[in-house]
């Protein structure tokens, strides 16, 4: 397994990490999977054998059950794993059970530590941007948590470019911990990350921790032009809170992946993941698996590389018209606005 620096930090993370949204299976995320502690431990065995040592979760996944199951699975080997979790989304009915206030973050971290059965979190990320809490309050709270040893590195998820830059400027001004990770959606059928967040990551030293690298399950090889949609899939039950993408765009990209698959002998899944591993700023891809077979399929994405011509073919098939001001920058002033990739 290849290891990469997490942004500009000194932390090394595996190129692939395991997402544990399938752990627990409570509430609406039951459509993702219902992995219990025994199954989770087996999946972690396979991951660690392959060099995958980072495991990502969040307090809201299965109403805390994902963290609890992950905690059971890492018992006795906490020193061999990196644990990544997130908070800020609503977790309770109270007025302070949401957001990035000092009140909520302190309570959320203690609750996550309890469910995970550990006394520290390797990477803590804000799950979303809280426009009602001043960044000074957010970052000073994270500073307290880092100094207390409860969290070691900090990052964000689902922030826009200005959200990130405002936060980083506050961190620099006051000497608070800087975000080193941006857990972001990025895939062959969702390349919005490249427009602004990738250049920001290059400039400010944030590593991309990529969620849903298979486009919410659309790049598993099950969706193809002219074929019926699979009967067993999470898409129908979860599409409303996943990244939107027109079917025709998916088919165009999968057509190109199929051509590359014939040249490489690799699967659609493996090609889609390998393409991401060639992109700038990408530190780790969060892969998901409901069972051992899916996990082993995803692990086959490393240890080889697509050629430049194959990458160019996939780039062309997945290209979309950029929104303003990015199309203007790329077409009229490229000398001073070069693309990040």
């Amino acid at each position: 397994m290849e290891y990469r620096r997490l942004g500009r930090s000194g932390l090394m993370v595996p190129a692939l990490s395991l997402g544990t949204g399938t752990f627990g299976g409570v509430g609406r995320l039951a459509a993702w999977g219902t992995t219990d502690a025994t199954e989770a431990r087996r999946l972690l065995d396979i991951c660690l054998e392959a060099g995958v040592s980072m495991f990502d979760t969040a307090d809201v996944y299965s109403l805390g059950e994902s963290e609890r199951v992950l905690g059971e699975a890492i018992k006795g080997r906490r020193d061999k794993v990196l644990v990544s979790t997130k908070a800020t989304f609503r977790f309770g009915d109270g007025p302070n059970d949401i957001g990035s206030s000092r009140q909520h973050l302190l309570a959320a971290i203690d609750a996550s530590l309890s469910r995970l059965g550990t006394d520290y979190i390797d990477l803590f990320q804000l799950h979303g941007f809280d426009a009602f809490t001043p960044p000074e309050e957010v970052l000073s709270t994270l500073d307290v948590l880092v100094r207390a040893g409860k969290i070691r590195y900090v990052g964000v998820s689902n922030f826009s470019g200005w959200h990130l830059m405002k936060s980083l400027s506050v961190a620099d001004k006051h000497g608070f911990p800087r975000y080193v990770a941006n857990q972001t959606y990025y895939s062959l059928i969702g390349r919005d990350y490249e427009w602004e967040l990738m250049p920001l990551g290059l400039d400010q030293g944030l590593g991309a921790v990529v969620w849903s690298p298979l486009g919410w399950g659309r790049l598993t090889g099950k969706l193809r032009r002219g074929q019926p949609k699979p009967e067993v899939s999470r898409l129908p039950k979860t599409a409303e809170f996943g990244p939107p993408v027109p079917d025709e765009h998916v088919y165009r990209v999968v057509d190109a992946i199929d051509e590359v698959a014939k040249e490489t002998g690799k699967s659609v899944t493996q090609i889609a993941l390998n393409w991401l591993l060639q992109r700038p700023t990408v530190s780790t891809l969060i892969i998901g698996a409901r069972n051992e077979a899916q996990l082993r399929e995803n692990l086959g994405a490393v240890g080889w590389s697509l050629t430049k011509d194959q990458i160019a073919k996939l780039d062309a098939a997945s290209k979309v018209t950029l929104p303003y001001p990015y199309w203007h920058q790329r077409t009229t002033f490229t000398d001073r606005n070069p693309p990040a990739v």
Side-chain angles (χ1 to χ4, degrees):
M1 177 58 58
E2 175 191 355
Y3 271 70
R4 302 176 173 196
R5 285 180 64 197
L6 182 60
R8 207 174 283 163
S9 77
L11 183 66
M12 301 296 291
V13 296
L16 300 180
S17 300
L18 182 67
T20 64
T22 60
F23 289 11
V26 174
R28 66 180 184 176
L29 292 191
W32 284 7
T34 55
T35 304
D36 61 20
T38 301
E39 293 173 310
R41 193 166 185 88
R42 172 59 180 157
L43 293 178
L44 262 68
D45 289 342
I46 297 169
C47 283
L48 291 174
E49 182 181 338
V52 174
S53 58
M54 183 164 160
F55 303 94
D56 181 76
T57 184
D59 59 358
V60 295
Y61 292 170
S62 289
L63 307 177
E65 280 298 291
S66 173
E67 287 184 327
R68 187 191 64 77
V69 171
L70 177 59
E72 289 291 323
I74 64 175
K75 277 185 178 178
R77 47 185 173 181
R78 178 64 182 92
D79 60 328
K80 295 181 173 61
V81 304
L82 298 172
V83 173
S84 163
T85 194
K86 303 176 287 294
T88 61
F89 290 167
R90 177 165 290 283
F91 197 86
D93 299 326
N96 290 309
D97 294 334
I98 187 173
S100 300
S101 68
R102 180 173 291 110
Q103 179 75 17
H104 184 229
L105 288 182
L106 292 175
I109 288 292
D110 284 344
S112 288
L113 289 171
S114 177
R115 286 188 293 267
L116 289 162
T118 185
D119 55 4
Y120 68 95
I121 293 164
D122 298 284
L123 173 62
F124 174 73
Q125 296 138 115
L126 303 174
H127 214 158
F129 181 70
D130 178 359
F132 298 120
T133 303
E136 290 83 359
E137 179 179 340
V138 178
L139 287 156
S140 64
T141 303
L142 295 176
D143 184 50
V144 168
L145 289 164
V146 169
R147 291 175 185 275
K150 294 185 177 183
I151 58 178
R152 295 187 171 177
Y153 294 89
V154 291
V156 301
S157 184
N158 306 308
F159 275 40
S160 69
W162 78 265
H163 294 157
L164 263 170
M165 283 309 306
K166 184 173 183 178
S167 300
L168 291 170
S169 67
V170 169
D172 290 343
K173 179 179 179 180
H174 297 285
F176 296 144
R178 275 184 130 251
Y179 298 134
V180 297
N182 180 13
Q183 187 164 145
T184 183
Y185 171 59
Y186 187 23
S187 78
L188 258 173
I189 54 171
R191 295 175 57 184
D192 306 26
Y193 170 72
E194 297 176 4
W195 303 344
E196 181 170 270
L197 293 172
M198 181 184 283
L200 189 157
L202 286 169
D203 182 69
Q204 294 295 313
L206 282 88
V209 177
V210 179
W211 64 264
S212 205
L214 297 178
W216 211 252
R218 295 178 177 94
L219 297 177
T220 60
K222 296 178 181 178
L223 294 179
R224 283 189 170 85
R225 189 188 306 276
Q227 295 185 12
K229 294 184 178 180
E231 295 181 5
V232 179
S233 173
R234 74 180 188 181
L235 275 172
K237 297 180 181 179
T238 64
E240 73 277 5
F241 54 91
V245 56
D247 286 347
E248 179 56 33
H249 186 60
V250 175
Y251 297 146
R252 183 169 65 250
V253 173
V254 172
D255 286 346
I257 295 177
D258 281 337
E259 292 181 24
V260 175
K262 293 177 183 177
E263 300 170 3
T264 61
K266 303 295 183 180
S267 69
V268 170
T269 294
Q270 291 165 348
I271 291 167
L273 295 176
N274 193 272
W275 177 86
L276 281 168
L277 291 172
Q278 315 305 314
R279 314 305 274 185
T281 74
V282 171
S283 292
T284 186
L285 309 181
I286 301 175
I287 58 174
R290 286 181 292 180
N291 52 52
E292 181 177 335
Q294 287 185 348
L295 177 56
R296 293 192 183 279
E297 169 80 9
N298 290 340
L299 292 175
V302 297
W304 59 280
S305 296
L306 295 163
T307 67
K308 290 183 179 180
D309 288 344
Q310 290 165 345
I311 290 173
K313 182 181 294 185
L314 297 173
D315 286 351
S318 59
K319 185 178 181 180
V320 298
T321 301
L322 302 183
Y324 177 83
Y326 308 109
W327 63 259
H328 190 275
Q329 295 168 356
R330 301 285 175 85
T331 57
T332 63
F333 201 36
T334 53
D335 287 350
R336 290 295 183 269
N337 285 275
V341 63

